[in-house]
């Protein structure tokens, strides 16, 4: 069930100069949250922000009734959201969208760039519970962008690339040696991040006939399937990213 | 207890708060947020005869106090609606009103005939004002002769309540309203979106795949309100006013300007419960001002 | 160093940032804030032949991302202007452009003739789009024949740069633009304000003495931008674009849509230094994007 | 000279449930400020506040470079302004408008209702410096509304009315016994407050042929004479309240 809730800022922690984790408490919706879902957050007190903004969950805690988000401050709304103080109220609609598939006892690769790593902590945890072997590959411009590696290590082996070579292998995410290695025998690849990165991962997956799921970040006006603004062209026609996505099997996408 | 009921031709509305076509899906999408049966009526997403994919992505751009959309009437066509959606929503405890679109007069007529067969749809809203389709749509709504032609043709085959939705992209809205009244409309709804445009200065590209799109939200409210007032003064049929209604005060302003009922659009994206809050807010206002029947407010502007 | 200069007919502007009529007084009111001589040009407050008191108070109402005004061309008439104001402002180091208003074609012509005598006014802006006067004004700007009539008559007596300011309250802005181009206009400026309305729900009264007024500010930007783009594609004369420009990015969007220069209006009330910040912002943008001449940006939309 | 300044909130103190004093520091404009002048304050971070808001000065301090305002929270902008915190920045345009006349060695009456008392502290001080005898009459609904009496007592005798009789005489300001007393022999009356009150004071002044100055609060879009929205009908035609006012001799007004 979708809910509209007024939640309380429990914590807002900047991780580096351009991203932060926003933790909200008081949610009755946690039991419905699945890895890949997102929320529509209303951003108040900004004269130029009219619509809500969609964010994937970073994590949630049923007992503490908290949900958290990893946000990259890229524009007016995300900057404004980053000025919230502990105790302030945030109005959110959630949980929204579909979720990643969770296989059992398979070997999977998670690839995330930028804010695209947000949905993968919850995914990693669930995948591990189901006995999957997990590799996590994250990419960024510099070492500053490589986040949550400690958390990811709880679920599997972590690899990374940076464009300046300051951490992990130097280059783009899809240039990582993992892709050329012999052990590239995954049953399923997950990807989320900039369009170019996701498409590159998808084309590798296709080439090797590996199943692949991508989480899209199309522009949204509503987030719950009524405005039809967020559509993605698929083999079955236009689909709503907010209700039929954000997770798509890449075979559906006309990439 | 105040009386919120209002009447549009033969349509009795339990209250004057309706939801605008294209912003409320088929109503079911809001069932988690409130009971859609509480509304005055629901104007469902625009229908066409055949499946329409709509326009390419991107279709949306946020603007100052508003948004542009270029959806382009995406819907799966009337057959799909009748088979798959209508059965699920027909038992809502309110009126379901179909928003009818065509690219020729014949298409409007044929679609109307199909909808006419559906017992639980007591009214149609003839959309001659969609700015987001290449053929038909707004083209019908910006010239009197074509607006008259499509209204007359549809009137011919439709005996239930016929609402004609006007485009605000015209020089003289009152003239358009008079024309469609003369052509047999039972009611007029306005405004549809204003044709607008947004550009990304960094990439130098338009922000919508179609370059131009329809502007909605509070930014258009002052113009929409003026048009409703002009139309109210010009015609003798009831008016559904809309355009940027975000709260009960906005809705009351539209009633005072001459709307018999209002439609809430873009606001539903930001606060899906807003229609219910507006009903409550109108009730509070009436109690505070000693207004017994909401109908007293309609056209109640003291000018 | 980038080249900000642009040309409108015979008018060389040192940069494309001008201030809109009615929002910048006669320029001197801003002298405490910045040197008005730094502007591309100054469109001074609308002039009429005789003293005009304008409309009764209240004349203003704030709206979502904008405002309504019902000033109604208050000014002391051309004689007072020539005797008292012109001598003070004629030495500004930029072009002073007069905004010309009449209620009959003859009045427009007579006023133009008077202004023609003023050496330091190299251009006029024919305002056929003021929504706030009972006679003349917008009435000329919403029908092609009357727009043509007034433009032709004024062209007859005026050899300097003739800019015609269009009303956005029309069905087909490109058609209007083509008509006045055909009638001899050297340039087109748009948009004037949109006819809007505001109501106080508590008192049930209009918030403007004239009930309706002109809407300006960022709320109208998407529609204004679309109209500028349509006009740019339709005509061969340069365009002054305006409507809700609040910063350099907005101004660049208007340039990309086809404005040779822009006018900044309502924004001057909120930040009187904004015209200068916009000049600086355009310069920064050009440097960042390697654009050498601002003229390269005009109509540079990649569609 | 008019200036646009970014000032710092030095203090924001609520006086009762609906009004506060906002003190700003860092102003270079204090030497130009005259009693009756006002400032146009930009109110940020509110999606529905587009224009600046005009406020008369409550006071200023040349040495400390501070200016202060007495604000009644009556709508969205004034409420928002009341949430400012010490250290935050406020953009203001000032000083604006004309000022009260300052006679010498005369007997004057100051009448202020609601936020209309704001301009009278500065006026009282200057009037006293010029040897005038000053009576100050303030009115409000209840005793809560009667503010700054200690301050006013420095400049002259203070009288007051409240509608509920909780302080001073019971009734409307113009019902105060001062108006019917024998000693009603003022050379000049000043008035600022709700329209009805000012008009009532003005009619008394006219009746007794006493000079009277009223400070008007017309709706303003710019505040510095270019929009022509704030006009007031006068015997000499429409005048701009923001440049030719806000102070008018009542003989000029068509009241
Ligand atoms: C399903 C989904 C999940 C997402 N999850 C995350 C996440 O976990 N962390 C994160 O940092 N970001 C996430 N995003 C992206 C995030 O929504 C945008 O970064 C944010 O909306 C930008 O808002 P802004 O006001 O800062 O940007 P603006 O200043 O408005 O614009 C900057 C850019 O942001 C993008 N944008 C603006 N509005 C929207 C919108 N309504 N929907 C989508 N994109 C928009 C546009 O590309 C625009 O050019 C997600 C997006 C989607 C659709
Ligand atoms: C010269 C002058 C001096 C003033 N001095 C003071 C003062 O010292 N202290 C004080 O508390 N108030 C003063 N006011 C009134 C103050 O400007 C308004 O109370 C304030 O603008 C209301 O803003 P708001 O957003 O809270 O109201 P809104 O929510 O916008 O509207 C509430 C009401 O406030 C009034 N109002 C709104 N905008 C303006 C505006 N731009 N100009 C004038 N009135 C407006 C309208 O009557 C409106 O109905 C003064 C006004 C003027 C013109
Ligand atoms: C995303 C979107 C889709 C719309 N689709 C339709 C439609 O299918 N048919 C129609 O008549 N109007 C459509 N409209 C217009 C609205 O019904 C309404 O006329 C307009 O948005 C103005 O009201 P508002 O400002 O309250 O949104 C749509 C509007 C939006 C924002
Ligand atoms: C208070 C006010 C007065 C105006 N007076 C005039 C005028 O005298 N002549 C004119 O052609 N336009 C007048 N305009 C219109 C502006 O020049 C401009 O066309 C319009 O405001 C749109 O631009 P903006 O959104 O940047 O303000 C006036 C606008 C405002 C807000
Ligand atoms: S965002 Fe509205 S339908 Fe997906
Ligand atoms: S407020 Fe603009 S002229 Fe007075």
């Amino acid at each position: 069930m979708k809910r509209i809730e007024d939640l309380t800022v429990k914590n807002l922690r900047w991780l580096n100069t351009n991203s932060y984790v926003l933790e909200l408490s008081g949610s009755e919706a946690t039991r419905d949250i699945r890895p890949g879902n997102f929320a529509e957050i209303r951003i108040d007190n900004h004269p130029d922000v009219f619509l809500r903004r969609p964010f994937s969950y970073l994590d949630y805690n049923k007992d503490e009734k908290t949900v958290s988000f990893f946000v990259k401050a890229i524009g007016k709304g995300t900057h404004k959201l980053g000025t919230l103080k502990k105790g302030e109220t945030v109005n959110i609609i959630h949980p929204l969208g579909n979720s990643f598939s969770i296989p059992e006892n398979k070997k999977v690769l998670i690839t995330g760039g930028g804010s695209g790593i947000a949905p993968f902590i919850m995914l990693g945890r669930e995948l591990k519970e189901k006995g999957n072997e997990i590799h996590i590959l994250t990419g960024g411009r510099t070492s500053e962008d490589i986040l949550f590696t400690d958390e990811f290590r709880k679920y599997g082996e972590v690899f990374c690339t940076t464009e300046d070579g300051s951490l992990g292998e130097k280059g783009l995410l899809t240039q990582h040696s993992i892709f050329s290695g012999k052990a590239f025998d995954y049953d399923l690849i997950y990807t989320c991040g900039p369009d170019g990165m996701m498409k590159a991962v998808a084309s590798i997956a296709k080439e090797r006939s590996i199943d692949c799921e991508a989480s899209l970040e199309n522009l949204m006006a509503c987030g719950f399937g009524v405005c039809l603004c967020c559509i993605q062209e698929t083999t079955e026609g236009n689909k709503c990213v907010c209700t039929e996505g954000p997770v798509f099997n890449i075979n559906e996408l006309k990439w | 207890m105040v009386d919120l009921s209002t009447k549009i031709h033969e349509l009795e509305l339990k209250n004057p708060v309706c939801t605008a076509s294209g912003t409320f899906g088929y109503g079911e999408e809001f069932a988690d947020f409130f009971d859609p049966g509480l509304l005055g009526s629901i104007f469902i997403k625009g229908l066409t005869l055949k499946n329409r994919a709509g326009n390419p992505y991107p279709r949306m751009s946020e603007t100052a106090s508003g948004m542009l959309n270029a959806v382009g009437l995406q819907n799966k066509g009337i057959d799909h609606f009748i088979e798959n959606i209508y059965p699920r929503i027909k038992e809502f405890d309110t009126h379901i009103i179909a928003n009818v679109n065509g690219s020729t007069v014949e298409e409007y007529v044929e679609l109307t005939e199909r909808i006419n067969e559906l017992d639980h749809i007591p009214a149609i809203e003839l959309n001659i004002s969609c700015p987001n389709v290449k053929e038909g749509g707004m083209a019908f709504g910006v010239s009197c002769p074509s607006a008259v032609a499509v209204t007359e043709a549809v009137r011919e085959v439709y005996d239930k309540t016929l609402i004609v939705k006007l485009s605000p992209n015209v020089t003289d809205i009152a003239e358009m309203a008079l024309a469609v009244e003369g052509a047999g409309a039972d009611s007029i709804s306005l405004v549809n979106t204003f044709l607008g445009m947004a550009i990304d200065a960094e990439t130098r590209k338009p922000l919508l795949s179609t370059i131009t799109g329809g502007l909605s939200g509070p930014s258009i409210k002052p113009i929409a309100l003026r048009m409703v007032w002009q139309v109210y003064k010009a015609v003798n049929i009831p008016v559904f006013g809309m355009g940027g209604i975000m709260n009960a005060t906005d809705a009351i302003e539209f009633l005072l300007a001459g709307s018999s009922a209002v439609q809430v659009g873009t606001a539903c994206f930001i606060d899906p419960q807003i229609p219910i809050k507006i009903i409550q807010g109108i009730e509070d206002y009436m109690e505070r001002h000693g207004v017994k029947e909401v109908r007293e407010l309609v056209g109640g502007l003291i000018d």
Side-chain angles (χ1 to χ4, degrees), chain B residues 20-22 45-46 69 73 99 127 165 191-192 216-217 242-244 265-266:
Chain B
S21 180
K45 174 67 197 162
N69 89 80
L73 293 174
N99 183 264
N127 182 7
K165 184 165 183 179
V191 299
N192 209 315
S216 63
M242 82 196 91
T266 306

Side-chain angles (χ1 to χ4, degrees), chain A:
Chain A
M1 194 187 119
K2 304 185 285 277
R3 290 166 197 262
I4 308 180
E5 297 188 313
D6 275 325
L7 304 186
T8 305
V9 177
K10 193 181 168 192
N11 198 13
L12 191 149
R13 185 167 43 100
W14 283 81
L15 303 181
N16 54 32
T17 49
N18 59 33
S19 56
Y20 53 89
V21 170
L22 172 65
E23 198 180 352
L24 305 174
S25 63
S27 178
E28 302 296 332
T30 50
R31 70 163 159 273
D32 296 326
I33 295 175
R34 305 283 309 129
N37 284 173
F38 69 98
E40 280 279 358
I41 299 188
R42 202 181 67 205
I43 293 165
D44 296 326
N45 299 321
H46 193 301
D48 297 326
V49 176
F50 178 65
L51 298 165
R52 288 173 183 265
R53 297 290 191 261
F55 299 97
S56 300
Y57 299 101
L58 176 66
D59 211 342
Y60 67 97
N61 184 313
K62 275 188 204 172
D63 301 330
E64 300 190 8
K65 299 187 174 186
T66 57
V67 291
S68 62
F69 301 93
F70 168 62
V71 179
K72 271 201 100 152
I74 59 143
K76 45 191 187 297
T78 44
H79 276 108
K80 184 76 192 176
L81 200 63
T83 64
L84 282 171
K85 304 264 170 299
K86 213 169 164 155
E88 290 189 284
T89 297
V90 176
N91 186 276
I92 96 170
I93 303 179
H94 71 145
L96 300 169
N98 70 356
S99 53
F100 294 106
S101 26
I102 313 281
E104 290 183 27
N105 306 317
K106 301 276 176 182
K107 185 171 172 193
V108 303
L109 173 66
I110 289 173
T111 60
S115 71
I117 51 164
F120 291 141
I121 287 184
M122 277 160 56
L123 177 67
R125 192 186 306 132
E126 289 224 13
L127 285 170
K128 184 163 185 204
E129 282 167 14
K130 298 286 181 193
N132 295 287
E133 182 189 346
I134 308 168
H135 286 177
I136 298 132
L137 171 62
T138 76
R141 214 155 306 171
T142 78
S143 59
E144 246 219 332
D145 301 326
I146 307 299
L147 296 161
F148 307 113
T149 43
D150 287 349
E151 186 69 24
F152 282 129
R153 264 188 214 107
K154 295 185 199 160
Y155 314 120
E157 202 171 338
V158 178
F159 307 88
C160 72
T161 61
T162 51
E163 286 173 43
D164 67 357
S166 53
L167 196 74
E169 293 185 18
K170 181 170 174 163
L172 297 174
L173 184 138
T174 43
Q175 292 170 333
H176 193 275
S177 57
I178 213 172
F179 291 103
S180 44
K182 285 195 189 131
F184 198 82
D185 53 356
Y186 302 102
D187 298 302
L188 183 53
I189 301 177
Y190 301 95
T191 187
C192 185
D195 249 36
M197 181 212 108
M198 289 197 286
K199 284 181 181 163
V201 171
S203 85
I204 295 171
K206 271 197 181 155
E207 223 177 85
R208 315 253 186 134
S209 306
I210 300 173
D211 242 5
C212 178
E213 292 185 348
S215 180
L216 307 187
E217 297 199 349
N218 288 17
L219 280 170
M220 297 182 172
C222 71
F224 45 90
V226 296
C227 75
L228 306 185
C229 288
C230 63
I231 51 103
Q232 180 70 27
E233 236 192 309
T234 73
T235 51
E236 295 158 46
N238 283 337
K239 284 198 170 178
C240 257
V241 172
C242 68
T243 50
E244 302 172 277
V247 179
F248 290 89
N249 190 302
I250 57 155
N251 293 324
E252 269 189 277
L253 300 174
K254 293 191 158 178
W255 275 3

Side-chain angles (χ1 to χ4, degrees), chain B residues 15-291:
Chain B
N15 66 63
V17 181
C18 312
T19 45
S21 180
T23 65
F24 202 70
Y26 301 100
E28 5 167 52
E29 297 87 340
F30 286 74
D32 278 356
F33 304 130
F34 68 89
D35 171 7
L38 296 171
L39 292 167
S41 62
I42 298 172
F43 289 76
I44 59 173
K45 174 67 197 162
L47 287 168
T48 53
L49 269 179
K50 299 263 163 329
N51 175 61
R52 267 188 74 93
N55 294 316
Y57 183 85
R59 294 180 172 183
M60 190 280 274
S61 177
E62 192 180 53
T63 62
S65 299
M67 62 175 277
L68 287 161
N69 89 80
V71 171
L73 293 174
Q74 173 176 338
N75 81 103
K76 297 209 161 101
I78 185 66
D79 289 337
H80 179 268
F81 172 74
I82 294 177
E83 277 158 46
N84 300 285
I85 303 170
Y86 178 66
R88 294 200 306 256
I89 64 173
K90 68 183 172 139
E91 303 296 353
F92 277 150
D93 187 24
T94 184
H95 305 300
I96 300 291
I97 301 180
N99 183 264
V100 171
N101 298 271
S103 38
T104 60
V105 171
E106 292 68 36
E107 277 185 25
Y108 276 103
V109 170
E110 199 183 330
L111 182 55
T112 302
E113 287 172 326
R114 297 293 308 281
I115 294 166
N116 200 11
E117 295 159 15
L118 306 174
D119 287 342
H120 291 84
I121 298 196
I124 59 169
E125 181 178 51
L126 211 62
N127 182 7
I128 56 169
S129 44
C130 180
N132 292 324
V133 290
K134 281 214 190 78
E135 280 157 29
M138 197 176 94
F140 284 103
V142 293
S143 110
C144 283
S146 60
V148 165
V150 62
T151 307
E152 278 179 346
V154 166
R155 177 78 292 174
E156 195 96 333
V157 302
Y158 194 68
D159 287 331
K160 303 178 196 170
T161 301
L162 171 59
I163 306 157
V164 178
K165 184 165 183 179
L166 298 185
S167 168
N169 300 292
V170 296
T171 306
D172 189 343
I173 194 79
E175 184 191 43
M176 292 297 309
L178 275 169
V180 301
E181 179 183 33
D186 299 317
S187 168
I188 282 166
S189 62
L190 76 165
V191 299
N192 209 315
T193 53
F194 287 77
L195 197 61
M197 177 172 172
I199 295 173
D200 182 338
E202 291 303 308
T203 62
R204 299 196 191 181
K205 288 193 193 150
L207 283 164
L208 299 175
S209 67
T210 47
I211 307 181
T212 61
L215 183 65
S216 63
S219 54
I220 66 169
K221 195 189 82 170
I223 320 179
L225 201 60
R226 179 264 296 181
M227 290 188 166
V228 165
W229 180 68
Q230 289 178 324
V231 167
Y232 170 74
K233 289 191 304 173
V235 301
N236 289 308
I237 49 177
V239 172
F240 282 93
M242 82 196 91
I245 295 176
M246 298 300 282
N247 52 48
T249 308
D250 293 338
I252 292 160
E253 289 166 25
F254 274 87
L255 296 175
L256 292 170
S259 309
S260 293
V262 299
Q263 296 184 26
V264 183
T266 306
C268 297
F269 302 157
I270 295 159
D271 181 356
Q273 287 165 336
I274 197 67
I276 295 305
K277 292 180 188 164
I278 291 176
I279 297 171
Q280 185 59 52
I282 294 176
E283 219 173 302
D284 294 348
Y285 173 93
M286 288 170 64
E287 270 158 15
R288 192 152 47 80
H289 287 266
V291 177

